[in-house]
Amino acid sequence: MIELHLLILAMVVSFGFVFSYLAMKEHDLLKALALSSVQSTFFALGFYILAAPDIVLAYLAIAVGAYTALVILAISKTERFEVGE
Amino acid sequence: MIGEAVFLAGMVMIFIGAVYDVIASIGMLRFDDFYLRAHAATVGTIGGAVLPIFGAGLVALVSPWLGALRYFLTGIALTTGVLILLTAPTGSHSLVSAVYFGRIGRPPRLVVDHLAEDLPVRKDVEELVREHEDLPGEEGEARFVFRRVRR
Amino acid sequence: MNVQSVFYTSLYFVAVLYTFAFVLYGIRAIKGPTTADIIMAVDCLSFDMAAFMVILGIYFRSILLASGAIILALWAYMLDVYYTKYVLYGEVEV
């Protein structure tokens, strides 16, 4: 019988890698923020399967909550699209 | 005897929730409009998250191998279920409202639109101006930023 | 065949179904043409992930692991509200 939680861990970490690459290549900053939130949600499940509940509690509050709120606040004060070189 | 019946009911709820979840994800992948995807998302949140959480609470309440741990697990499960039951419809409603009033993406393919005819148009959305019209965007994405006119 | 072995063998298939659903939600979040599609995909993903966390907390017999589900459900709701406030009003108050 395959160790299922290791398979789930591999899937979650590879999805997090793909989403971090997409967020890095994006020119629309709001879309990049949404992609980054998907990546942090996947990594939270990764930390969960690695049996680190304290890191899960801290990482969720920072990476899903406070990071997205602060970046949306910063985008609303400045511009949304990344232009020029 | 009553414990086994409750355990069986909880396991059936978990299985039905998992099947709901797969159905909602397939619908989320294959529908081609945002409003249809919102319909699939309601199936995925209420049927796929709230139902197995309540089932897991029932399973944890009557399983004897957990010891004194089961009351804590039941409390966590019921709290999470009630919170998702409150926050998921409000989140979906606000998101669809943002897409409809902000005119993001393609317009909805409707036969008749009573919301545009009957309701008065929202004042704060009516006086929005467009900026950055010449910037490149993805296909279907709004190519401008709405900002409220300051008076 | 006691109750515990029934639970542990049936959780295997439930975990397979949930993982398949996570993969499909992730593909929609990659494909999604507008930002609202990605926000809706992460909304569904986080709520289903909270359900999966509660079920795995019973599987691993741990209270601390299961309590991450409450925080995940509440923070994912805040993302919807902030996106709506940004798109409709153009400004966000903290």
Side-chain angles (χ1 to χ4, degrees):
Chain A
M1 213 171 201
I2 307 172
E3 294 287 337
L4 189 63
H5 60 281
L6 293 180
L7 204 62
I8 295 174
L9 180 65
M11 184 270 294
V12 159
V13 173
S14 50
F15 261 104
F17 175 73
V18 169
F19 277 109
S20 61
Y21 178 74
L22 287 177
M24 196 178 64
K25 296 291 286 183
E26 186 62 48
H27 288 289
D28 189 355
L29 293 180
L30 195 62
K31 199 171 182 178
L33 178 68
L35 289 170
S36 175
S37 73
V38 181
Q39 178 256 340
S40 58
T41 311
F42 272 117
F43 270 14
L45 187 61
F47 283 129
Y48 186 92
I49 293 172
L50 286 173
D54 46 352
I55 298 181
V56 170
L57 294 181
Y59 189 80
L60 277 176
I62 293 170
V64 184
Y67 172 72
T68 57
L70 286 178
V71 175
I72 283 183
L73 181 64
I75 288 173
S76 74
K77 296 298 180 189
T78 58
E79 288 183 350
R80 177 175 167 179
F81 289 97
E82 178 183 0
V83 287
E85 295 297 325
Chain B
M1 185 60 198
I2 187 76
E4 293 173 354
V6 172
F7 178 81
L8 193 60
M11 287 309 295
V12 167
M13 283 167 79
I14 289 176
F15 264 101
I16 290 176
V19 173
Y20 265 141
D21 205 356
V22 173
I23 289 172
S25 62
I26 290 174
M28 196 100 176
L29 187 61
R30 288 191 57 88
F31 283 154
D32 56 347
D33 196 3
F34 176 76
Y35 300 94
L36 290 175
R37 277 181 220 134
H39 149 68
T42 52
V43 176
T45 50
I46 299 299
V50 177
L51 193 65
I53 281 179
F54 282 155
L58 287 181
V59 166
L61 186 60
V62 296
S63 45
W65 75 87
L66 288 174
L69 212 67
R70 53 186 179 180
Y71 301 111
F72 296 100
L73 284 172
T74 308
I76 288 170
L78 293 184
T79 309
T80 314
V82 171
L83 281 177
I84 292 177
L85 198 60
L86 285 176
T87 57
T90 19
S92 300
H93 187 90
S94 70
L95 202 58
V96 175
S97 159
V99 171
Y100 184 79
F101 287 112
R103 299 178 185 88
I104 296 174
R106 288 181 297 180
R109 290 172 294 181
L110 300 174
V111 179
V112 54
D113 195 358
H114 284 295
L115 191 57
E117 295 173 356
D118 292 341
L119 287 181
V121 180
R122 294 180 53 163
K123 290 179 181 177
D124 47 354
V125 181
E126 181 63 25
E127 61 194 17
L128 293 171
V129 294
R130 292 182 178 182
E131 293 180 358
H132 304 290
E133 282 189 348
D134 50 350
L135 286 177
E138 293 295 322
E139 55 96 18
E141 180 79 23
R143 299 188 178 190
F144 41 79
V145 171
F146 288 112
R147 283 194 191 280
R148 185 193 287 173
V149 175
R150 298 181 184 273
R151 293 180 178 176
Chain C
M1 194 174 202
N2 58 350
V3 175
Q4 186 176 358
S5 64
V6 170
F7 180 74
Y8 275 53
T9 49
S10 56
L11 253 288
Y12 193 82
F13 300 103
V14 171
V16 169
L17 289 179
Y18 269 99
T19 311
F20 184 62
F22 290 161
V23 170
L24 292 187
Y25 282 137
I27 291 172
R28 169 46 72 191
I30 290 176
K31 281 176 63 179
T34 66
T35 311
D37 287 317
I38 305 174
I39 300 287
M40 179 158 284
V42 69
D43 199 4
C44 290
L45 188 65
S46 56
F47 286 146
D48 294 333
M49 210 170 271
F52 191 55
M53 278 183 181
V54 171
I55 295 171
L56 275 187
I58 300 174
Y59 186 82
F60 287 138
R61 302 184 200 180
S62 171
I63 302 172
L64 272 177
L65 280 174
S67 66
I70 304 174
I71 302 175
L72 182 55
L74 284 178
W75 283 116
Y77 170 63
M78 197 211 64
L79 188 61
D80 294 343
V81 176
Y82 268 58
Y83 177 74
T84 303
K85 282 179 75 65
Y86 175 70
V87 166
L88 281 186
Y89 303 116
E91 56 191 8
V92 175
E93 298 90 8
V94 175

